[in-house]
């Protein structure tokens, strides 16, 4: 920082666009930006525009944030007629000074839920005078939303989200200049509790979604969390928005555990197919599926990851299933994730459709016939994380000649059918692929079970991940692994995790005795604590951030 301050004369000859590019690198360093702001007027103007791109995020954590200050500043930017409407509700705002900068024009990312929280905080802090209308918060919120959507110089990100008991969505489609402020929108999130919307608000919302589908056609990211309204208006508007896109790369649809109709799923998947060539990541949450819903997915030929979280299956007739079975497919995806939920036939059908394209597969549920399907349809899988049971252990034989390099196994501890015995671990060891380099267990394995598995294992393992319970003798595990390491001469790493959260920060030195750990390190260079949870959901949002 001192360098900038002492060489400001040299920086005066730097072009303005270069300065803007330099300060972009400090965008998340608020403290440094504040220091730079006082160097000169040019620097101040650039940094003010950066700080007000997403001011709600820069306000800090909820315990210390000052949302009310943001609202007070935005109110000073309002035109006189809007100020008059707020003043007439009982707020004393006429003494607010005029702003030094047009702060509202710098906004690039708007979260309507945070705006709503800010208005509520401002009301609680400054209060009302004598006159109080029925719902003063909506008046302030509407005027500020109108200011930001009408007068900013172009949003990149918009999140419609409000969770009040009963709320109103203003007629945003009619706001002046909205065509210009939303033309270059790249990220859109729709996280709305539709049951709490007033009828007029629902109509306004539908009109806004229609307007958005006409003017915002370059969205790269769409995230939908909603419960469908009784007239299907918002769902229809969202599907039109999806169909109108040209560069959509990320899509997530969450029905918030409310069990929607299967036809709704089909319609959204069908709408998505208009973006089949551009989509990279798709996530479906809490949705019903059957193989009928997959017809439109067959057009997708460029996916990096497709995830089904907590989805469930609805049966269809054999006649329809046969028609779907013989239709051609272009579905290509590198990573497939089925997180919890129950999608048996849908999982197998998708594996048939993706065929040679899939490289990574996670199935967090027992699916009979899974390994047979992988053997028959998915020969190029190199990463597999799945649940194993007594009923599926023998079918692991189908994977013995596979290309799988990383295998992660889990059991359902509360299901009697999934409990494994010593013979099962012997069978697992025999059936491990000769291409397998990484083996992980996401369940507690006893010393004896591990011993029998590793004695049968012929894989050139380079890493092994084990899970212990709190009471086990950890040294005995390490002795078994040492014996295996001497046999294969390939093991470079052992990772471990403990069943109890109280050992969150524990290290190898804390659970293994000094002598046995020293002996192990002569054969195995790395003995580390496992930090990742293998069967948790993948956060696709971070992959598609803008």
């Amino acid at each position: 920082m001192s360098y900038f301050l002492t060489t400001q004369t040299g920086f005066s000859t730097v072009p303005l666009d270069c300065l803007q590019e330099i300060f972009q690198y400090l965008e998340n360093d608020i403290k440094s930006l504040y220091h730079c702001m006082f160097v000169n007027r040019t620097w101040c103007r650039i940094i003010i525009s950066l700080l007000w791109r997403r001011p709600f995020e820069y306000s800090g954590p909820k315990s210390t944030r000052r949302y009310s200050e943001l609202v007070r500043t935005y109110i000073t930017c309002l035109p006189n007629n809007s100020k008059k409407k707020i003043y007439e509700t009982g707020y004393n705002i006429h003494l607010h000074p005029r702003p030094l900068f047009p702060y509202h024009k710098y906004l690039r990312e708007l979260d309507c839920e945070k705006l709503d929280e800010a208005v509520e905080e401002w009301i609680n802090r400054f209060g009302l005078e004598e006159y109080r209308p029925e719902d003063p918060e909506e008046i302030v919120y509407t005027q500020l939303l109108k200011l930001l959507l009408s007068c900013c110089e172009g949003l990149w990100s918009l999140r419609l989200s409000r969770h009040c008991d009963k709320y109103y969505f203003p007629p945003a489609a009619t706001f002046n200049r909205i065509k210009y402020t939303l033309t270059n929108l790249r990220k859109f999130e729709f996280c709305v509790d539709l049951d709490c919307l007033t009828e007029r608000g629902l109509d306004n919302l539908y009109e806004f979604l229609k307007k958005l589908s006409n003017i915002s056609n370059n969205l790269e990211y769409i995230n939908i969390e909603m419960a469908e309204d009784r007239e299907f208006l918002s769902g229809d508007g969202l599907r039109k928005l999806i169909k109108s896109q040209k560069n959509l790369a990320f899509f997530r649809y969450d029905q918030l555990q409310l069990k929607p109709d299967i036809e709704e799923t089909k319609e959204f998947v069908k709408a998505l197919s208009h973006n089949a060539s551009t989509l990279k990541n798709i996530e479906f949450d809490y949705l019903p599926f059957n193989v009928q819903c997959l017809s439109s997915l067959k057009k997708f030929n460029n996916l990096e990851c497709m995830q089904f979280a907590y989805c469930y299956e609805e049966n269809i007739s054999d006649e329809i299933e046969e028609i779907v079975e013989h239709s051609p497919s272009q579905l290509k995806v590198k990573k497939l994730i089925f997180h919890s939920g129950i999608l048996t036939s849908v999982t197998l059908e998708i594996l048939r459709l993706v065929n040679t394209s899939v490289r990574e597969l996670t199935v967090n549920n027992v699916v009979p016939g899974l390994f047979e399907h992988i053997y028959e349809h998915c020969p190029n899988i190199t990463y597999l994380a799945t649940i194993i049971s007594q009923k599926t252990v023998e079918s692991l034989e189908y994977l013995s000649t596979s290309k799988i390099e990383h295998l992660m196994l889990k059991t359902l501890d509360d299901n009697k059918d999934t409990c494994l015995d010593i013979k099962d671990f012997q069978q697992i060891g025999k059936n491990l692929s000769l291409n397998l380099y990484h083996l992980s267990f996401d369940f507690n394995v006893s010393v004896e079970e591990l011993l029998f598995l590793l004695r049968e294992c012929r894989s050139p393992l380079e890493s092994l991940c084990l899970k212990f319970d709190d009471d086990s003798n950890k040294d005995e595990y390490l002795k078994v692994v040492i014996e295996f390491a001497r046999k294969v001469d390939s093991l470079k790493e052992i990772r471990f995790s403990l069943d109890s959260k109280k050992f969150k920060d524990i290290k190898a030195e804390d659970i293994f005795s000094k002598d046995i750990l020293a002996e192990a390190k002569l054969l195995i260079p790395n003995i580390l604590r496992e930090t990742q949870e293998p069967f948790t959901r993948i956060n696709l949002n971070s992959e598609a951030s803008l």
Side-chain angles (χ1 to χ4, degrees):
M1 192 55 56
S2 60
Y3 173 80
F4 287 116
L5 294 174
T6 57
T7 60
Q8 56 179 295
T9 55
F11 266 79
S12 63
T13 60
V14 177
L16 187 61
D17 56 346
C18 292
L19 279 175
Q20 291 172 334
E21 185 71 23
I22 291 169
F23 287 125
Q24 295 279 0
Y25 290 97
L26 293 175
E27 189 171 4
N28 295 316
D29 187 350
I30 307 302
K31 187 176 180 180
S32 295
L33 285 177
Y34 273 119
H35 283 298
C36 291
M37 189 167 60
F38 297 102
V39 172
N40 57 45
R41 290 183 180 181
T42 300
W43 285 31
C44 183
R45 281 195 295 270
I46 295 171
I47 291 166
I48 284 291
S49 66
L50 284 174
L51 290 174
W52 283 83
R53 281 183 177 182
R54 38 185 176 145
F56 296 102
E57 289 189 27
Y58 290 150
S59 295
K62 190 171 184 177
S63 58
T64 59
R65 73 187 187 192
R66 300 295 295 273
Y67 275 3
S68 58
E69 299 294 337
L70 296 178
V71 171
R72 186 166 67 174
T73 301
Y74 277 138
I75 285 177
T76 65
C77 300
L78 287 170
N80 290 333
N81 60 338
S82 295
K83 287 181 181 178
K84 183 178 179 182
K85 289 179 181 178
I86 295 176
Y87 178 76
E88 288 174 350
T89 65
Y91 295 109
N92 184 16
I93 63 170
H94 60 281
L95 296 178
H96 288 178
R98 295 188 63 181
L100 295 174
F101 298 94
Y103 299 102
H104 56 291
K105 291 187 176 182
Y106 304 136
L107 188 70
R108 295 295 178 268
E109 300 180 17
L110 174 60
D111 185 335
C112 291
E113 185 172 18
K114 290 181 179 178
L115 176 63
D116 185 43
E117 291 175 3
V119 170
E120 184 178 359
E121 186 179 307
W122 182 78
I123 289 174
N124 292 334
R125 183 175 178 186
F126 293 102
L128 287 163
E129 295 182 352
E130 295 181 3
Y131 174 66
R132 184 184 182 96
E134 184 177 346
D135 197 351
E137 183 179 341
E138 292 296 349
I139 296 173
V140 179
Y141 175 85
T142 298
Q143 296 304 318
L144 292 183
L145 186 65
K146 185 176 181 180
L147 171 75
L148 298 175
L149 288 182
S150 300
C151 301
C152 75
E153 293 179 348
L155 285 182
W156 299 336
S157 174
L158 174 62
R159 184 173 186 265
L160 294 184
S161 179
R162 294 189 77 186
H163 298 278
C164 311
D165 291 336
K166 200 70 177 177
Y167 66 94
Y168 167 73
F169 184 80
T174 64
F175 290 169
N176 292 331
R177 295 189 71 255
I178 196 167
K179 176 180 177 181
Y180 304 100
T181 58
L182 296 180
T183 295
N184 295 316
L185 197 66
R186 289 184 288 172
K187 181 175 181 179
F188 178 64
E189 295 187 77
F190 185 84
C191 310
V192 178
D193 190 346
L194 295 165
D195 292 336
C196 297
L197 257 177
T198 62
E199 288 194 15
R200 281 182 57 223
L202 193 60
D203 291 339
N204 291 338
L205 180 61
Y206 176 61
E207 292 300 321
F208 178 74
L209 292 173
K210 283 203 306 182
K211 185 81 172 181
L212 207 60
S213 65
N214 291 328
I215 61 178
S216 301
N217 305 130
N218 291 303
L219 291 173
E220 300 171 13
Y221 179 112
I222 295 179
N223 177 29
I224 300 171
E225 294 180 8
M226 58 171 276
E228 184 59 273
D229 58 277
R230 60 185 179 276
E231 296 179 353
F232 299 95
L233 291 179
S234 60
D236 183 46
L238 285 168
R239 288 190 287 272
K240 288 179 180 177
L241 178 64
I242 293 167
K243 291 178 184 179
S244 69
Q245 299 311 309
K246 300 174 183 177
N247 300 302
L248 188 62
F250 173 93
F251 178 81
R252 177 175 177 266
Y253 182 30
D254 184 350
Q255 266 289 343
L256 302 176
Q257 308 181 47
L258 293 175
K259 292 194 174 183
D261 189 276
I262 188 71
E263 291 298 320
E264 191 179 328
T265 302
K266 287 174 59 180
E267 290 302 318
F268 268 96
V269 175
K270 186 177 179 181
L272 268 184
S273 66
H274 289 260
N275 304 273
S277 61
T278 61
L279 271 164
K280 299 290 186 182
N281 295 290
I282 300 176
E283 179 180 342
F284 299 109
D285 291 20
Y286 295 101
L287 291 177
F289 271 89
N290 56 36
V291 293
Q292 273 185 283
C293 300
L294 307 181
S295 296
S296 298
L297 279 180
K298 295 177 184 182
K299 299 178 182 179
F300 292 77
N301 55 23
N302 202 26
L303 288 176
E304 295 288 336
C305 182
M306 181 160 60
Q307 181 171 203
F308 298 82
Y310 307 102
C311 294
Y312 51 94
E313 196 159 319
E314 287 196 5
N315 296 324
I316 61 171
S317 67
D318 294 337
E319 180 181 352
I320 297 176
E321 189 169 358
E322 185 176 350
I323 293 172
V324 176
E325 176 73 18
H326 291 90
S327 59
S329 171
Q330 293 178 304
L331 179 57
K332 293 181 180 179
V333 56
K334 294 180 181 178
K335 182 187 295 187
L336 263 176
I337 300 168
F338 297 90
H339 182 78
S340 299
I342 301 176
L343 286 176
T344 302
S345 63
V346 168
T347 300
L348 298 179
E349 176 65 12
I350 289 178
L351 287 177
R352 187 190 69 81
L353 295 175
V354 298
N355 204 268
T356 58
S357 67
V358 66
R359 298 294 189 274
E360 299 183 26
L361 174 64
T362 298
V363 182
N364 194 3
N365 194 21
V366 174
V367 178
L370 176 66
F371 303 136
E372 294 94 319
H373 258 65
I374 293 174
Y375 172 78
E376 183 178 354
H377 300 293
C378 305
N380 294 324
I381 288 180
T382 58
Y383 173 99
L384 175 63
T386 187
I387 289 178
I388 195 79
S389 70
Q390 277 191 331
K391 292 182 178 180
T392 59
V393 164
E394 287 192 8
S395 61
L396 265 176
E397 184 179 2
Y398 284 96
L399 305 182
S400 60
T401 58
S402 69
K403 297 179 182 178
I404 293 174
E405 299 176 359
H406 195 149
L407 179 63
M408 200 169 285
L409 298 176
K410 180 181 179 181
T411 62
L412 293 177
D413 297 330
D414 58 346
N415 191 325
K416 293 180 180 180
D417 292 334
T418 65
C419 294
L420 305 177
D421 57 27
I422 294 297
K423 291 183 179 179
D424 294 322
F425 282 91
Q426 285 181 303
Q427 190 74 28
I428 293 172
K430 288 178 181 179
N431 291 333
L432 293 177
S433 168
L434 294 178
N435 293 305
L436 189 66
Y437 299 112
H438 311 281
L439 177 62
S440 301
F441 295 97
D442 194 41
F443 61 97
N444 293 333
V445 179
S446 71
V447 173
E448 188 178 18
E449 290 167 343
L450 180 64
L451 176 64
F452 277 84
L453 185 147
L454 292 181
R455 281 181 177 176
E456 297 293 338
C457 177
R458 297 295 179 267
S459 304
L461 294 182
E462 294 180 0
S463 73
L464 177 66
C465 181
L466 301 173
K467 191 171 186 179
F468 307 133
D469 58 36
D470 299 345
D471 301 324
S472 59
N473 186 337
K474 313 302 186 300
D475 282 356
E476 295 302 315
Y477 284 94
L478 207 49
K479 289 177 183 178
V480 172
V481 176
I482 289 172
E483 179 186 331
F484 176 74
R486 289 194 177 104
K487 180 180 73 172
V488 297
D489 196 30
S490 61
L491 197 63
K492 298 181 177 65
E493 179 179 87
I494 177 172
R495 291 181 176 267
F496 63 91
S497 60
L498 294 171
D499 209 16
S500 176
K501 293 182 179 179
K502 68 181 180 180
F503 296 112
K504 182 178 179 182
D505 299 319
I506 203 167
K507 298 178 181 178
E509 292 79 6
D510 301 321
I511 67 168
F512 299 114
S513 65
K514 185 177 180 180
D515 292 341
I516 195 68
L517 187 60
E519 182 182 353
K521 287 188 174 181
L522 293 175
L523 296 165
I524 310 165
N526 298 314
I527 302 177
L528 308 167
R529 173 68 189 271
E530 179 74 2
T531 56
Q532 297 179 343
E533 293 292 335
F535 283 90
T536 54
R537 291 170 59 190
I538 304 297
N539 183 10
L540 297 181
N541 292 12
S542 61
E543 298 178 19
S545 61
L546 299 177

